[in-house]
């Protein structure tokens, strides 16, 4: 047995994040942990990785009990954790990232030759070809993910914990990573896989455990599971039926678009995108399709004034305005962006949910120069409920799960009441229940007259809500899909390559 978890309890005051959890994970298997945000997955991973100590219960790794709250103890027992938010040092090379904190030496001197040899061995094990000299900050998210895994393998990990590893990957990159995971399993490594992508869970897993409200609901071999069973076990039968209903409602009718709200032509950013045109009308959702690195995020950052070197021509409601080169100006025009990187670009993690939501629009919560705390709380409470935040609005954002951080970010940008809302990976790290609710909210906002641009690596989400899809490849607009019959995953991918 690789891992034995017995009667595990973790309490925070009167709240139990884990309540009597028992799980056995066999040596050499891929064991998936599935559940909504707040189900207890992050807490369990924190205990296994040594970051958190349980209140009661025990965890044994290959028969030896963990020294709780001690990450080094977990690593010595062969546990390596790859978190959803990567820990790459962008200014170091690929090789330096893999050997960060574990340099190899000969006769007391650092041996770059020995590290390079080991680096190439790790590349061969994983079936990747990444130059050891390449600067990590210039690499794709997919390649950075590979470096994280290589770092874990260099620690002689026999158990690899992967937390939402494909959350920001495009379909081809996701497929490549799943193949790598299977290769690692074939080499004898035990994999604990956490993902909201249920198709991946079914494709990869030998066993699946469902967590809900801090309790283990069921553990069964892969043969037992279907997607419907996973959803029902995660959410409960009544909620699962509601998800089906909401998904069907999200499929929109083809209604004529409203008046033009935004038109941009000749949008270019040196070395990234070139001569892209985009038009947005009231009441429509425009999806941006393409692989990671195709220029999707650069395009919307340019529209939001976050690319100072960008050029282009911009019209708002038919009137030509100056091209934005700082973020305050587009916000004054009614353009709001929920960025992909919520931790570094979207939220102030040391501030509360309430303050984050209100900081973009302090004008509505001040009177005679004084901050109206009650009004701010009322606004934040209403928006947090609309987006399904499951923690009090006074909670610091750094103490929220990734999913709840994303909900705060969406609430924050919607507090601007924008004419044009740009959402980059809006459902990244959000559980299936809230994911559908977010897509439904986007459709409702469009029905109220807002123009919305959506980028998502989950192309099915783009298809579900978009009236049109613009496909980007290598920094250029290569296709516009405007007919409902054209908007499909196959057509998007065909245009991409």
């Amino acid at each position: 047995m690789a891992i034995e978890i017995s009667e595990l309890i973790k309490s925070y005051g009167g709240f139990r994040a884990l309540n009597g959890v028992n799980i056995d994970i066999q040596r050499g298997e891929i064991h998936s942990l599935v559940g909504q945000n707040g189900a207890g997955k992050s807490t369990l991973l924190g205990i296994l990785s040594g970051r958190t100590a349980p209140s009661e219960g025990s965890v044994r790794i290959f028969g030896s009990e963990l020294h709780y709250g001690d990450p080094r103890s977990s690593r010595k027992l062969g546990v390596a954790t790859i978190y959803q938010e990567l820990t790459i040092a962008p200014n170091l090379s690929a090789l330096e990232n893999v050997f960060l904190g574990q340099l190899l030496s000969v006769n007391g001197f650092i041996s770059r030759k020995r590290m390079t040899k080991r680096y190439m061995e790790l590349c061969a094990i994983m079936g990747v070809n990444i130059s050891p000299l390449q600067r990590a900050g210039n690499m794709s998210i997919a390649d950075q993910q590979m470096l994280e895994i290589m770092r874990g393998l260099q620690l002689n990990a026999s158990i690899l914990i992967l937390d939402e590893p494909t959350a920001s990957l495009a379909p081809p990159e996701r497929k490549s990573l799943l193949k790598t995971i299977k290769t690692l399993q074939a080499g004898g490594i035990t994999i604990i896989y956490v993902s909201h992508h249920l198709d991946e869970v079914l494709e990869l897993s030998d066993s699946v455990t469902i967590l809900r409200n801090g309790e283990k609901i069921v553990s069964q071999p892969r043969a037992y599971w279907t997607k419907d069973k996973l959803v029902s076990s995660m959410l409960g039968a009544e909620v699962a039926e509601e998800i089906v209903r909401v998904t069907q409602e999200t499929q929109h009718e083809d209604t004529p678009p409203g008046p033009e709200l935004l038109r941009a032509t000749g949008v270019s950013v040196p070395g990234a995108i070139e001569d892209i045109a985009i038009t947005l009308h009231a009441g429509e959702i425009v999806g941006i399709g393409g692989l990671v690195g195709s220029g999707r995020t650069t395009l919307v950052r340019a529209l939001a004034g976050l690319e100072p070197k960008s050029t282009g021509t911009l019209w708002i409601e038919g009137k030509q305005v100056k091209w934005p080169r700082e973020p305050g100006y587009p916000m004054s025009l009614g353009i709001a962006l929920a960025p992909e990187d919520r931790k570094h670009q979207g939220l102030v993690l040391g501030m509360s949910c309430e303050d984050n939501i209100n900081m973009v629009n302090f004008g509505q919560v001040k009177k005679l120069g004084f901050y109206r705390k009650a009004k701010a709380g009322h606004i934040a409470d209403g928006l947090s409920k609309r987006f399904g935040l499951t923690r009090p609005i006074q909670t610091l954002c750094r103490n929220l799960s990734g999913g709840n951080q994303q909900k705060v970010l969406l609430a924050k940008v919607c507090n601007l009441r924008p004419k044009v809302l740009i959402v980059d990976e809006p459902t990244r790290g959000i559980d299936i229940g809230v994911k559908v609710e977010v897509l439904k909210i986007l459709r409702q906002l469009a029905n109220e007259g807002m123009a919305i641009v959506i980028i998502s690596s989950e192309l099915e989400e783009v298809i579900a809500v978009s009236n049109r899809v613009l496909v980007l490849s290598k920094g250029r607009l290569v296709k516009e899909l405007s007919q409902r019959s054209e908007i499909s995953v196959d057509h998007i991918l065909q245009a991409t390559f």
Side-chain angles (χ1 to χ4, degrees), residues 11-175:
S11 299
Y12 295 95
F15 172 71
R16 283 197 171 184
L18 292 175
N19 187 19
V21 172
N22 295 280
I23 303 173
D24 290 335
I25 298 176
Q26 301 291 332
R27 187 188 297 258
E29 77 169 349
I30 298 178
H31 194 111
S32 290
L33 300 177
V34 178
Q36 297 189 76
N37 293 119
K41 304 187 302 296
S42 296
T43 303
L44 180 55
L45 295 191
I47 293 172
L48 292 175
S49 63
R51 291 186 297 115
T52 307
S55 304
E56 299 179 33
S58 66
V59 176
R60 291 185 174 274
I61 306 293
F62 298 116
S64 299
E65 188 165 1
L66 273 180
H67 292 171
Y68 304 112
D70 180 6
R72 290 185 179 181
S73 172
S74 291
R75 288 197 293 269
K76 285 180 181 178
L77 291 174
V79 179
T81 304
I82 313 301
Y83 295 103
Q84 179 179 348
E85 306 297 338
L86 301 181
T87 58
I88 289 296
N91 290 321
L92 297 183
S93 69
L95 182 141
E96 290 164 339
N97 268 279
V98 169
F99 291 94
L100 195 62
Q102 47 182 340
L103 299 174
L104 301 183
S105 61
V106 174
N107 297 324
F109 293 92
I110 295 173
S111 175
R112 194 171 188 90
K113 180 179 179 181
R114 187 179 168 201
M115 288 190 291
T116 301
K117 180 181 178 183
R118 176 58 177 158
Y119 177 91
M120 300 311 294
E121 290 173 354
L122 291 171
C123 284
I125 290 171
M126 296 185 57
V128 297
N129 183 22
I130 302 171
S131 169
L133 302 178
Q134 186 174 358
R135 180 178 175 273
N138 296 333
M139 296 167 58
S140 68
I141 296 295
D143 283 346
Q144 290 180 5
Q145 197 112 45
M146 294 299 181
L147 293 187
E148 292 264 15
I149 296 174
M150 289 165 68
R151 185 191 297 163
L153 295 180
Q154 175 55 26
L155 287 166
N156 294 318
S158 49
I159 297 173
L160 196 59
I161 300 174
L162 299 173
D163 183 15
E164 297 286 354
T166 64
S168 57
L169 302 184
E173 297 164 327
R174 186 178 303 155
K175 185 177 180 180

Side-chain angles (χ1 to χ4, degrees), residues 224-241:
Y224 170 83
W225 295 105
T226 63
K227 195 169 184 177
D228 288 342
K229 283 185 178 180
L230 287 173
V231 173
S232 295
S233 297
M234 283 172 59
L235 308 177
E238 292 182 3
V239 180
E241 291 174 3

Side-chain angles (χ1 to χ4, degrees), residues 233-345:
S233 297
M234 283 172 59
L235 308 177
E238 292 182 3
V239 180
E241 291 174 3
E242 177 69 4
I243 293 297
V244 173
R245 183 185 67 79
V246 172
T247 303
Q248 292 172 344
E249 289 180 1
T250 306
Q251 298 293 334
H252 58 280
E253 297 178 1
D254 289 319
T255 55
E260 179 186 292
L261 294 182
L262 178 149
R263 176 160 47 99
T265 59
V267 184
S268 301
V269 176
I273 59 174
E274 184 176 352
D275 195 28
I276 294 176
I278 180 172
T279 302
L280 304 172
H281 295 85
E284 74 170 347
I285 299 179
V286 175
I288 308 292
L291 303 179
V292 173
S294 62
R296 301 173 306 172
T297 295
T298 304
L299 170 62
V300 297
R301 281 176 55 83
L303 294 175
L306 295 169
E307 293 288 347
K309 295 182 179 179
S310 65
T311 57
T313 307
L314 179 65
W315 290 263
I316 298 293
E317 296 181 298
K319 179 182 178 181
Q320 185 172 348
V321 297
K322 69 178 182 180
W323 184 256
R325 289 191 173 86
E326 52 84 21
Y329 178 59
M331 290 169 65
S332 71
L333 296 175
I335 301 172
L337 168 66
E340 176 184 14
D341 187 346
R342 56 178 174 262
K343 286 195 172 185
H344 298 101
Q345 299 173 356

Side-chain angles (χ1 to χ4, degrees), residues 152-197:
L153 295 180
Q154 175 55 26
L155 287 166
N156 294 318
S158 49
I159 297 173
L160 196 59
I161 300 174
L162 299 173
D163 183 15
E164 297 286 354
T166 64
S168 57
L169 302 184
E173 297 164 327
R174 186 178 303 155
K175 185 177 180 180
S176 177
L177 179 60
L178 298 185
K179 182 179 178 181
T180 298
I181 292 171
K182 281 290 190 182
T183 300
L184 295 174
Q185 182 196 23
I189 293 177
T190 303
I191 310 285
I192 298 176
Y193 192 80
V194 178
S195 178
H196 289 119
H197 300 300

